[in-house]
Amino acid sequence: MAGAVAPAAVIAAVIGLELATSSKAVVLALVVVAPLLASSLVGPVSTLAYAVASLGVGAALGAWSHQYTDGRLGDQITRLATILVGGALAVGAARARVRREARLARVLRIAAVAQQTILPPVPERLGPLRLAASYDSAQEEASIGGDVYAAVDTPHGQRLLIADVRGHGLDAVRLASTVLGAFRERADERASLTELATDLDRAVSRAADAEDFVTAVLLQVSGAELQVANAGHPDPLLLRDGVAVPLPPSGPTPPLGIGARPRPVRVRLEEGDRLLLHTDGVTEARRPSDAAFFPLSRLVAPCLGSGTLEQGLAGLRAALIEWAGGSLSDDVTLLAVEFTGDASRRASDGP
């Protein structure tokens, strides 16, 4: 609203200045600023209205200050021509801006649909698991990037994926969608996480360029047994009794796309255990004041260890953004999991 009346304030200021200086100084041509300013604030119709108003004010002020006499007529015609041309240019600029904004709005709507297609929300409940996820793109103009996650229920148990594609932009989005598609297609079919990781590695190899790769973690929960297969990705964190413990792989394993064959690590879960899966955008976030890295291992327990899973994840995300000064240099993905107990026992006990 304030922006819409700013051009009117310019016209009023020029009128006041012209009246105050009388015929000693002729400033009426400055009203051309009003439509030029309007072109960046309002639509073409309103800009045209300001252009017409500016031309009328310029003509009226010229009559008041006697600019139509023989000695001054030529200068007054030049002033009015300047106002007229400036107003026409302003209307054209306003029309072009509105078209650009409309195209941008369409692109953003398409991006939102693409995000829902490529990265749909995880279910709140999956068997004995509660889930919560958070994703922030490092690119303000984009809502999707190279971080992906997924959770599916399979005959082998509940399987989860978090992955981080090297690089950014459309190539990263393309490769991320390849990983997700391969995971959703093969998660039901492969009996072991190693076989599933091999399929994902093969899919990335076919789709990626020579220097591209994808780090990933595959999780499987079957009853109360957790299996973790890590392909070059940051270690998941297991939160139990207020203490966060990393779950490292059994040995070095390259990322997907360059021969990943991870061997699963097995952990016995207890009711109430929480897991955090994340991408390296979390641990590599820096504090602007001293370039210190985000202390995830120190803050994950205080943030994620109390309240509901959603509240804990929101608190951790808020702490991360505050640490980074509100600006993220990389995509940031957080996937939190809570084990509520053995699924078969809960089914027999009833709700």
Side-chain angles (χ1 to χ4, degrees):
M1 184 62 182
V5 301
V10 170
I11 294 175
V14 172
I15 293 174
L17 187 59
E18 182 73 21
L19 295 178
T21 58
S22 186
S23 60
K24 297 178 181 178
V26 181
V27 297
L28 61 88
L30 292 178
V31 292
V32 73
V33 174
L36 293 175
L37 178 61
S39 68
S40 63
L41 300 173
V42 296
V45 174
S46 297
T47 301
L48 177 61
Y50 279 119
V52 172
S54 297
L55 185 62
V57 168
L61 289 176
W64 180 84
S65 58
H66 309 291
Q67 299 301 314
Y68 295 101
T69 60
D70 291 340
R72 300 179 177 179
L73 180 59
D75 292 339
Q76 177 63 6
I77 291 175
T78 300
R79 295 186 193 100
L80 294 179
T82 300
I83 297 172
L84 180 63
V85 172
L89 292 175
V91 172
R95 292 181 61 184
R97 177 181 58 80
V98 169
R99 286 197 296 268
R100 287 196 303 270
E101 290 176 350
R103 286 197 296 268
L104 178 59
R106 288 195 295 271
V107 169
L108 292 177
R109 287 195 296 270
I110 293 172
V113 173
Q115 183 182 29
Q116 291 295 320
T117 302
I118 296 175
L119 198 63
V122 296
E124 294 182 2
R125 189 66 181 259
L126 192 68
L129 306 179
R130 288 194 178 97
L131 304 173
S134 171
Y135 173 77
D136 291 282
S137 174
Q139 303 181 55
E140 295 182 358
E141 70 278 7
S143 55
I144 51 179
D147 288 3
V148 292
Y149 52 82
V152 295
D153 206 354
T154 75
H156 316 289
Q158 293 73 42
R159 285 181 167 175
L160 283 72
L161 164 75
I162 187 168
D164 185 0
V165 178
R166 174 185 177 275
H168 302 281
L170 293 178
D171 287 340
V173 174
R174 174 183 57 82
L175 198 52
S177 64
T178 297
V179 174
L180 275 179
F183 174 75
R184 290 166 179 160
E185 178 184 359
R186 299 295 186 180
D188 282 354
E189 299 177 3
R190 298 310 183 199
S192 74
L193 290 185
T194 300
E195 292 175 335
L196 179 57
T198 301
D199 285 345
L200 300 186
D201 177 80
R202 190 179 300 114
V204 171
S205 298
R206 288 196 297 261
D209 294 331
E211 298 182 355
D212 290 338
F213 59 83
V214 180
T215 67
V217 168
L218 292 166
L219 263 66
Q220 176 178 302
V221 177
S222 180
E225 182 187 65
L226 168 68
Q227 295 185 40
V228 182
N230 193 328
H233 198 80
D235 298 338
L237 296 172
L238 172 64
L239 183 60
R240 177 181 295 171
D241 298 328
V243 178
V245 179
L247 300 176
S250 57
T253 304
L256 303 177
I258 51 178
R261 299 293 186 275
R263 294 169 52 191
V265 173
R266 300 172 187 268
V267 177
R268 191 72 180 176
L269 292 175
E270 298 179 4
E271 187 171 348
D273 283 351
R274 289 183 174 182
L275 293 160
L276 178 70
L277 289 73
H278 61 91
T279 55
D280 60 9
V282 178
T283 52
E284 294 179 0
R286 290 177 179 264
R287 186 167 53 190
S289 60
D290 57 3
F293 290 110
F294 180 68
L296 177 63
S297 58
R298 175 168 61 84
L299 294 180
V300 65
C303 292
L304 197 62
S306 60
T308 66
L309 193 65
E310 292 78 8
Q311 292 171 341
L313 188 64
L316 183 60
R317 176 182 177 273
L320 172 65
I321 293 177
E322 181 181 2
W323 182 274
S327 178
L328 300 172
S329 60
D330 195 3
D331 297 338
V332 168
T333 300
L334 298 165
L335 178 59
V337 184
E338 181 178 0
F339 181 66
T340 60
D342 182 72
S344 61
R345 179 176 60 82
R346 291 178 61 86
S348 63
D349 291 345

